[in-house]
Amino acid sequence: MNDTLILIVSGVIAGSCPVLFAALGETLSEKAGVINLSLDGCLLLSALSAFAASYQTSSLMIGFLAAMMTGALVSLFLGIMTLYFRVSQVALGFVLSLFCRDLAYFFGNAYNRLQGVEVGPLPIPFLSDLPVIGPSVFSHNIVVYLSFLLPCALWIYSDKTKAGLSMKSVGENPYAAYARGYNPRLIRLCHVIAGGILTGIGGAAFSLFLKAGWGRPQGCEGTGWIALALVIFGSWNMFRVALGCYIFSFLQIMGLLFQQWFSDVPAQVFQVAPFPLMIFSLVLVYFTNRFSETSVGRNQRKYRLFFLTARFLSKPAPSHLGKTFEP
Amino acid sequence: MIRLENIHKDYGSVKANDGVNLSVRPGSIHALLGENGAGKTTLMKILSGFIAKTSGRIFVCGNEVDISSPVKALKAGIGMMYQEPMDFPQMTVLDNLMAGRPSGFFISRKKALHDLDRFSSDLGFSFNPASNPASLTLGERQQLEMIRLLSLGVKVLILDEPTTGITDLQKDVLFFSLRRLAKLGHSIILVSHKMDDVTSLCDEATVMRQGKVSGHFSRPFSSQDLLQCMFPSGGDVDIADDYQPGDPFYFLDQVTASSSRVVLKPISLNFRQGEIVGLAGLEGSGQELLLRVAAGVSHIHTGAIRIGDTPLTARSMKAYQSSGVFFVPGSRMEEGLISGLTLSDHVALCRSGHTLFTRKRAVESQTSRFIENFFIKASPHSLVDSLSGGNQQKFLLSLLPDTPRILFLENPTRGLDHDATAAIWNILKTRVRHSGSAVVFSSSELDEILQVAHRVLVFSNGELMMDRLCHDLDPHDIGQAVSGIKQTKY
Amino acid sequence: MSIKTIGRHLGLPVFHVLMILVLSLFIVSFIVLAAGVSPFTAFSLLYQGSLGSVSHLGHVMKSFFPMTLCAMGLVYTYRISLWNIGIEGQVIVGALSAMVLFRLFPEPQVPSLFFSLGIVSAFLGGMGWAMITGFLKSTCGVNEIFAGLGMNFVSQGLALWLIFGPWKRPGIASMSGTDPIADVYCLIESGPLSISGFELILVFILFIFTWILIRKSIVGLKLHASGSNPFASRLLGLQPTLSIHLALAVCGGFAGLAGLFQVSGVYHRLIPSISSNYGYLAILVVLLSGFDIRIVPIISFFFSCLLVGSIQLPMMLQIDSSLSGVVQGIVVMVYLVYMGIARHLNSRIRKPVYE
């Protein structure tokens, strides 16, 4: 029993790492008001650049740097074009997503099924000797540990720092932000790029340890779309998004286990789970907003429980998400 | 404290501000009055750095200052509160206060919380710092914005229509705080067109009309003089004498409704055939909402609407239209016409009904007929965007069916010159005379209402203040009703 | 159709069309060079693999038909300013619905009748799936992009479940799909191109139908009006919400038919990747066409050529077949970016880059 538990917890933690990076990166970008639909392709392309760079140089560090660069470049392109030249965020993001995927396959051809370097585990002294928790939580590699810290770090960033406040402001109301002396487009661009860099790390996590190596399919296809769904499911809150990622990863692991038990349900079916949840949370946001405007809203006290639950489960999107700002 | 010298602002050939001079003393509450489009908001936006002036000079405490951005205006101690609050609806009250404040890498909420408490207790506001503006009322959002500006050291506070859409209680709180600020030496500029606010609160008043200053007054004010200066009456008013009212056929029964700006108090009305009814009142007093509600465009909360014996309450707009009730919105391009389509496209859309195909030739000849009959300066293939305001309005009217039973028009002649206005009224009057339909319209020009309407309804703060026939009307009474003094019904 | 007419349809002078093509070509050549292959070799292989022989052309047509169907459907939704990303799922569900019928009646007495029922079933399946998105959009305020995306994955899950669950092959459940459908449900291929006459005729009829509906009838105008200003359209007597449902329904139906083509014409069974990404590709096609129905088949044909031409790249040049996707992506991106910059520099060129 313990072994299964260790397997599950350890699997959930490791498996959630890339999607966590990608989803939190997207959260940054969306909090600043830009929908970056290129996530899926960007993950794959950065996975390739991480593998290729580390294979050529045998250096993991360079692999990660290459992936971050890739993510940054893709989102820089998207950011400049959508923010300064008013190209539609959805159109360009969508095309980029397909394009980056194909570009990754194209250049990845040369790296098919090669043996590259891999991030080794780095058990934390003493803590890893603890029963159950030790092998399941404290025996991962450094990137996974970083993924624990990331939600906290980003929460501190968005809630406690000046830059985080500016991010939220431009996502909420760029005109008011402009009136207060911010440069909305520049701030948005910076956060889109930051999101891209995090996505890059997520991609590297795939090719450098989780599904080490390169192939077609690589194994991380679709993760980007799931990350997009998780951002909505987590209602743009760092911790909820992270929680969503762990739930998703748990479902995946359970899918593998279930497959042993009920062999006729493929694991992929469980991957679908985040999407109905995402749609459900969007519906919930809509109806709480609508009810609070109408007669039900005036009897808020009567429906208090409903409102509290709904508000707890989901919060509305940044007010200016996906819209263009024209000074 | 503040002196504006010879401010000009041109939008192309339109002069929004045309050589405005204004000075505001420290410690005074200064009202800036004027009808819609008089240029008062433009002037204030120039002063607060939101739009750039074409020419002119601005002095603060005797020194000329360069105000080219809102931040620079804040540095010069000038802050503006907009009609639509400029805040972040989903962020907490405290974060709203913090955004844009100079600080180190990490923000400290302690100081902002301290400021919030200090100013709140000073001015008689109360806030939960963890709530967010989306859950606050308009009045509370204003108060928040006021605290923010004051905490940044603003000495000159500009308020744009602050009393529209807030409750009486909030208004009292607001006025109390403004008086207190004035006592502390701040200058307050109140942009308004509500007589009440000005007479009860302000020390001085400047009236603007057509981009220029048209009068200056000091306490005590006579609201009659102010009104006269805002809407100079053209003297001899041509009262419509062709009034032959038919039977009442359109009924509103105890209708209530609300928009973001105003709450409509229970109202019962009927309209008669062959009647032209003008709705008067200051902007946002409820007349626009009544038009929309009566035309089935906005929903009512309670009450009932019927035409003849057909109930229309809670029916779709399609049902209203098929009963002969039509609405023409005031913002022609935003709500009335579809940008990027031509005139004949619009005609095709309107006349297609359930058919799939329209004969191009027929549509074009019909469009040409409209253009001819309504004196529209355009060709069937011109984009509606390229039409002038008057032509857009005429085109909108031409799209209506020939025999509507009742027409609701929102500011049908706003922004039109004299000739276009006359042309529009010619068209409408002919309709009324020939088909016996009723026309209900709102206007910000009292003169226009007195000239064309048979009956006038005056609104103030969501309430019907007066309902009278025009021919036994004293303009003085309208002024009283507009400023919120109830007149007995006829 | 000459470049000049294409240009006019795009609302662009010929110069700009040429610029977009040249720029795209330049970038693609650069990418191919970076992979260590001569661009000329790659391009000529792409050409030979698609238009070089009659049998290749037949393959091109096989992917041209479903892609064009999807793209034509998207013309309706783009007209009303909707992003029907859910089209991918609508293809899958169309294929599923056809399969349901084919499996229920494995030995039909009147094949043509049951095949026609399959067509109806596929159409209704795709339509129903699209209308879920429409319902979520109009009644629950869910953005159609996210709703569509979600429905795509749900339909993918549904297909996988069927393949590995109820419809698995006896004994072995695998990614290679279900048992083949009965021969009577497979489309008959004929002629030198060995393409199905049924597909050709259906796509042609629907193309003419869409052309007339969008460009000649009042429908296109109504969709455009409802999408760009719902309030004014209501005042003009239109019903924008109904139009949204109708546009999505038609688009979903077309996508469902594309699913049927995939089942009956290509794979003869249900496989996990039954949609072959045609839905997503069709979005690119329509973006590049500037939402003009007349150019859709041309671009769709070009994309199909790339798709089929690239199949032999791995064998001949040891480069990945995804070069086709790279080229498609580049062309669309160059178009979007070019239009964005051109509009930025010169406000005279006005072309809706969709929001």
Side-chain angles (χ1 to χ4, degrees):
Chain A
M1 189 59 219
N2 261 357
D3 284 351
T4 326
L5 188 68
I6 291 173
L7 202 69
I8 291 176
V9 174
S10 153
V12 166
I13 288 173
S16 67
C17 170
V19 79
L20 197 71
F21 274 100
L24 289 175
E26 179 70 15
T27 310
L28 274 187
S29 163
E30 289 195 11
K31 259 182 155 348
V34 180
I35 304 177
N36 185 352
L37 274 190
S38 72
L39 215 55
D40 195 49
C42 189
L43 267 179
L44 212 62
L45 192 60
S46 45
L48 172 73
S49 27
F51 182 75
S54 61
Y55 180 82
Q56 298 287 357
T57 60
S58 309
S59 157
L60 284 167
M61 200 58 205
I62 291 179
F64 273 100
L65 282 178
M68 284 152 78
M69 277 289 283
T70 310
L73 282 177
V74 172
S75 46
L76 175 75
F77 175 67
L78 179 99
I80 289 184
M81 284 307 151
T82 57
L83 296 171
Y84 290 90
F85 294 101
R86 288 167 43 216
V87 176
S88 154
Q89 289 178 10
V90 177
L92 191 60
F94 183 76
V95 181
L96 263 177
S97 179
L98 299 189
F99 168 72
C100 290
R101 187 195 61 192
D102 285 326
L103 196 66
Y105 289 147
F106 182 71
F107 282 128
N109 199 38
Y111 298 94
N112 262 346
R113 282 181 284 284
L114 290 179
Q115 185 68 42
V117 276
E118 244 180 81
V119 184
L122 183 77
I124 296 181
F126 310 116
L127 288 176
S128 59
D129 299 332
L130 293 171
V132 188
I133 301 178
S136 58
V137 181
F138 294 110
S139 305
H140 292 282
N141 62 46
I142 186 149
V143 186
V144 176
Y145 298 138
L146 274 181
S147 79
F148 293 158
L149 299 180
L150 191 67
C152 301
L154 287 182
W155 175 73
I156 290 174
Y157 173 76
S158 81
D159 202 57
K160 303 286 176 209
T161 69
K162 194 181 162 189
L165 196 61
S166 74
M167 166 185 76
K168 287 189 283 182
S169 321
V170 296
E172 275 295 320
N173 185 349
Y175 300 96
Y178 172 71
R180 294 170 193 211
Y182 293 130
N183 179 347
R185 293 203 278 200
L186 189 64
I187 292 173
R188 283 182 162 189
L189 186 63
C190 291
H191 286 91
V192 175
I193 294 174
I197 290 174
L198 288 179
T199 310
I201 299 177
F206 269 121
S207 63
L208 293 185
F209 60 88
L210 198 68
K211 288 173 179 157
W214 182 259
R216 178 181 181 178
Q218 204 275 341
C220 64
E221 285 80 359
T223 311
W225 299 118
I226 287 162
L228 271 169
L230 288 172
V231 174
I232 298 174
F233 171 72
S235 37
W236 297 271
N237 172 306
M238 302 297 172
F239 290 120
R240 285 155 182 262
V241 172
L243 182 70
C245 295
Y246 287 119
I247 292 175
F248 162 69
S249 179
F250 176 73
L251 283 175
Q252 261 188 327
I253 299 285
M254 290 318 278
L256 290 177
L257 285 180
F258 276 138
Q259 207 180 10
Q260 293 167 9
W261 301 333
F262 317 97
S263 52
D264 52 349
V265 180
Q268 287 91 332
V269 172
F270 291 90
Q271 289 200 350
V272 169
F275 292 98
L277 285 177
M278 163 189 87
I279 293 175
F280 174 70
S281 57
L282 282 176
V283 172
L284 206 60
V285 171
Y286 178 76
F287 280 110
T288 33
N289 283 350
R290 232 181 73 165
F291 284 147
S292 53
E293 281 167 9
T294 54
S295 54
V296 185
R298 272 183 255 123
N299 300 327
Q300 274 224 13
R301 213 155 280 165
K302 210 167 146 194
Y303 298 93
R304 205 179 145 76
L305 197 65
F306 165 76
F307 273 96
L308 282 180
T309 343
R311 286 264 178 251
F312 174 75
L313 283 176
S314 57
K315 287 195 171 62
S319 307
H320 217 264
L321 180 59
K323 295 177 192 156
T324 35
F325 166 71
E326 288 173 44
Chain B
M1 185 101 173
I2 291 267
R3 205 167 79 246
L4 300 171
E5 269 187 26
N6 204 19
I7 302 286
H8 283 268
K9 174 73 197 177
D10 304 341
Y11 289 108
S13 62
V14 181
K15 287 181 164 38
N17 283 164
D18 191 6
V20 178
N21 293 303
L22 179 74
S23 62
V24 179
R25 285 187 297 109
S28 77
I29 305 181
H30 197 115
L32 197 57
L33 284 157
E35 58 167 317
N36 232 294
K40 47 194 193 321
T41 303
T42 310
L43 186 68
M44 289 302 108
K45 280 191 171 169
I46 289 173
L47 187 55
S48 61
F50 241 83
I51 48 184
K53 58 186 184 290
T54 311
S55 66
R57 294 158 63 153
I58 301 174
F59 298 88
V60 177
C61 302
N63 306 317
E64 181 165 4
V65 286
D66 161 44
I67 297 178
S68 51
S69 75
V71 181
K72 280 190 180 152
L74 279 176
K75 281 216 180 94
I78 304 168
M80 174 152 175
M81 273 170 52
Y82 293 89
Q83 220 172 334
E84 298 295 320
M86 281 284 228
D87 55 12
F88 308 108
Q90 310 287 354
M91 282 160 59
T92 64
V93 163
L94 204 54
D95 283 0
N96 262 284
L97 210 55
M98 309 266 306
R101 244 171 202 253
S103 78
F105 179 73
F106 286 102
I107 49 178
S108 151
R109 290 198 166 79
K110 220 176 257 167
K111 172 122 195 332
L113 192 61
H114 178 74
D115 277 354
L116 183 70
D117 284 346
R118 189 162 62 96
F119 284 106
S120 302
S121 60
D122 237 23
L123 301 173
F125 306 155
S126 83
F127 281 106
N128 170 11
S131 61
N132 54 19
S135 66
L136 298 180
T137 61
L138 189 65
E140 287 170 316
R141 289 168 80 169
Q142 276 180 358
Q143 296 171 357
L144 177 63
E145 185 70 1
M146 199 152 123
I147 290 179
R148 188 183 75 85
L149 291 173
L150 292 174
S151 73
L152 290 171
V154 160
K155 289 289 170 207
V156 178
L157 194 61
I158 306 166
L159 298 98
D160 191 3
E161 305 284 355
T163 54
T164 312
I166 68 174
T167 64
D168 288 348
L169 191 67
Q170 280 172 337
K171 195 166 112 176
D172 292 345
V173 174
L174 179 74
F175 282 8
F176 167 79
S177 58
L178 290 180
R179 283 199 194 98
R180 195 169 154 72
L181 285 174
K183 212 164 279 167
L184 291 170
H186 290 74
S187 301
I188 316 274
I189 304 178
L190 187 79
V191 180
S192 181
H193 46 214
K194 292 198 177 170
M195 234 28 77
D196 255 17
D197 303 356
V198 177
T199 47
S200 65
L201 181 73
C202 298
D203 305 316
E204 286 176 63
T206 301
V207 179
M208 285 184 75
R209 189 170 162 78
Q210 290 168 352
K212 291 182 177 136
V213 173
S214 67
H216 189 85
F217 302 87
S218 323
R219 196 176 255 293
F221 305 104
S222 122
S223 42
Q224 206 51 49
D225 290 351
L226 287 172
L227 273 175
Q228 186 65 34
C229 197
M230 276 166 80
F231 311 101
S233 193
D236 49 348
V237 172
D238 227 6
I239 288 167
D241 52 3
D242 55 345
Y243 183 46
Q244 294 149 345
D247 299 324
F249 73 107
Y250 199 78
F251 304 92
L252 278 77
D253 187 23
Q254 291 296 318
V255 166
T256 60
S258 65
S259 71
S260 60
R261 297 180 72 190
V262 66
V263 176
L264 205 60
K265 306 208 170 86
I267 197 166
S268 295
L269 271 179
N270 58 56
F271 297 115
R272 294 153 184 274
Q273 280 165 347
E275 182 175 56
I276 299 180
V277 184
L279 305 187
L282 300 165
E283 184 101 6
S285 302
Q287 68 273 36
E288 296 92 348
L289 183 59
L290 180 84
L291 276 178
R292 283 177 181 245
V293 162
V297 178
S298 295
H299 294 292
I300 58 174
H301 289 327
T302 58
I305 298 176
R306 67 189 162 88
I307 183 163
D309 292 325
T310 323
L312 286 174
T313 318
R315 301 279 299 278
S316 72
M317 212 152 91
K318 198 92 187 160
Y320 278 83
Q321 286 168 348
S322 45
S323 316
V325 183
F326 291 89
F327 176 72
V328 179
S331 45
R332 297 162 199 131
M333 269 328 287
E334 288 75 25
E335 297 187 328
L337 299 169
I338 293 151
S339 162
L341 296 188
T342 65
L343 271 67
S344 46
D345 287 342
H346 280 82
V347 173
L349 281 175
C350 259
R351 291 296 145 96
S352 62
H354 290 291
T355 56
L356 266 185
F357 295 95
T358 47
R359 286 222 308 281
K360 220 173 181 176
R361 197 78 49 77
V363 167
E364 264 167 33
S365 68
Q366 182 154 30
T367 315
S368 312
R369 209 155 51 238
F370 283 159
I371 289 175
E372 208 172 302
N373 293 349
F374 288 78
F375 308 104
I376 301 167
K377 288 191 194 73
S379 87
H381 302 290
S382 338
L383 291 179
V384 287
D385 315 53
S386 67
L387 267 59
S388 71
N391 285 321
Q392 285 177 352
Q393 188 69 45
K394 283 188 265 185
F395 181 56
L396 268 174
L397 292 179
S398 75
L399 287 177
L400 297 171
D402 292 331
T403 52
R405 297 191 63 188
I406 185 161
L407 282 181
F408 292 97
L409 311 166
E410 201 176 65
N411 279 309
T413 57
R414 173 182 289 170
L416 304 190
D417 58 23
H418 187 264
D419 291 349
T421 307
I424 301 260
W425 280 117
N426 256 331
I427 295 166
L428 286 169
K429 280 184 172 171
T430 324
R431 283 250 157 120
V432 172
R433 214 172 295 133
H434 290 306
S435 60
S437 35
V439 169
V440 184
F441 73 100
S442 67
S443 173
S444 52
E445 306 269 340
L446 270 183
D447 270 3
E448 183 185 17
I449 293 178
L450 290 175
Q451 267 170 24
V452 300
H454 301 132
R455 179 176 154 202
V456 58
L457 309 179
V458 182
F459 285 80
S460 172
N461 206 10
E463 203 171 345
L464 180 63
M465 286 296 174
M466 187 170 93
D467 178 354
R468 266 201 217 163
L469 296 180
C470 273
H471 55 76
D472 59 348
L473 196 66
D474 183 355
H476 175 78
D477 290 347
I478 298 192
Q480 296 261 303
V482 165
S483 53
I485 302 164
K486 194 145 191 165
Q487 307 289 304
T488 46
K489 286 196 174 182
Y490 76 105
Chain C
M1 208 176 284
S2 70
I3 285 184
K4 194 167 179 182
T5 34
I6 298 177
R8 204 174 61 232
H9 293 159
L10 283 169
L12 283 175
V14 192
F15 168 73
H16 292 295
V17 179
L18 284 179
M19 276 300 281
I20 289 172
L21 288 177
V22 168
L23 271 173
S24 312
L25 198 69
F26 185 75
I27 298 173
V28 173
S29 308
F30 185 76
I31 289 176
V32 174
L33 262 182
V37 177
S38 148
F40 296 106
T41 330
F43 291 148
S44 73
L45 267 177
L46 276 179
Y47 173 78
Q48 276 159 21
S50 54
L51 302 171
S53 80
V54 175
S55 76
H56 285 144
L57 189 62
H59 286 292
V60 170
M61 293 315 280
K62 266 192 185 169
S63 76
F64 169 78
F65 291 135
M67 202 194 293
T68 312
L69 262 183
C70 293
M72 287 188 317
L74 287 169
V75 169
Y76 293 92
T77 48
Y78 275 115
R79 268 277 143 159
I80 196 164
S81 312
L82 275 179
W83 268 93
N84 187 15
I85 279 187
I87 189 157
E88 191 73 21
Q90 291 146 25
V91 177
I92 295 175
V93 173
L96 289 182
S97 326
M99 279 297 286
V100 169
L101 201 101
F102 296 161
R103 289 183 68 93
L104 276 179
F105 306 100
E107 285 160 9
Q109 279 88 31
V110 198
S112 55
L113 170 71
F114 282 88
F115 186 71
S116 311
L117 283 179
I119 299 174
V120 174
S121 161
F123 190 89
L124 290 179
M127 188 170 106
W129 205 249
M131 289 183 66
I132 296 177
T133 309
F135 170 77
L136 284 170
K137 162 111 185 156
S138 63
T139 315
C140 307
V142 179
N143 184 313
E144 79 275 9
I145 296 172
F146 293 116
L149 210 54
M151 299 307 285
N152 282 352
F153 281 85
V154 173
S155 59
Q156 184 69 62
L158 203 62
L160 282 166
W161 173 67
L162 286 172
I163 290 168
F164 285 85
W167 291 357
K168 71 175 173 212
R169 289 159 118 173
I172 29 157
S174 82
M175 296 298 274
S176 60
T178 60
D179 272 333
I181 52 174
D183 282 343
V184 290
Y185 291 129
C186 298
L187 293 172
I188 303 152
E189 291 162 357
S190 56
L193 291 175
S194 81
I195 53 170
S196 146
F198 165 72
E199 290 186 9
L200 179 69
I201 293 168
L202 190 64
V203 169
F204 183 73
I205 291 175
L206 289 180
F207 175 69
I208 298 295
F209 174 75
T210 307
W211 182 327
I212 292 176
L213 216 54
I214 292 286
R215 297 201 62 95
K216 301 287 170 206
S217 84
I218 194 85
V219 171
L221 203 56
K222 280 188 173 176
L223 289 178
H224 179 80
S226 308
S228 69
N229 194 341
F231 187 86
S233 324
R234 274 203 319 152
L235 287 182
L236 292 177
L238 308 182
Q239 286 157 303
T241 317
L242 188 69
S243 309
I244 285 181
H245 288 297
L246 280 178
L248 273 172
V250 174
C251 182
F254 281 23
L257 290 180
L260 174 87
F261 285 6
Q262 290 292 93
V263 168
S264 290
V266 184
Y267 294 108
H268 301 166
R269 58 165 69 79
L270 186 66
I271 60 164
S273 57
I274 188 76
S275 71
S276 302
N277 255 345
Y278 287 151
Y280 286 151
L281 279 178
I283 294 180
L284 298 194
V285 170
V286 178
L287 273 180
L288 189 56
S289 75
F291 318 108
D292 188 332
I293 177 74
R294 292 172 298 183
I295 307 178
V296 161
I298 300 169
I299 293 167
S300 173
F301 185 74
F302 170 57
F303 274 32
S304 310
C305 288
L306 286 171
L307 214 58
V308 173
S310 66
I311 290 173
Q312 54 174 343
L313 287 179
M315 276 185 311
M316 311 288 285
L317 287 179
Q318 278 75 50
I319 57 174
D320 200 273
S321 61
S322 59
L323 180 63
S324 62
V326 173
V327 179
Q328 290 156 351
I330 294 266
V331 179
V332 178
M333 269 197 298
V334 168
Y335 170 71
L336 288 177
V337 167
Y338 190 91
M339 296 307 294
I341 293 177
R343 190 174 48 177
H344 187 78
L345 297 177
N346 179 0
S347 54
R348 270 179 305 167
I349 303 176
R350 278 183 185 276
K351 184 74 200 165
V353 173
Y354 262 67
E355 290 292 331

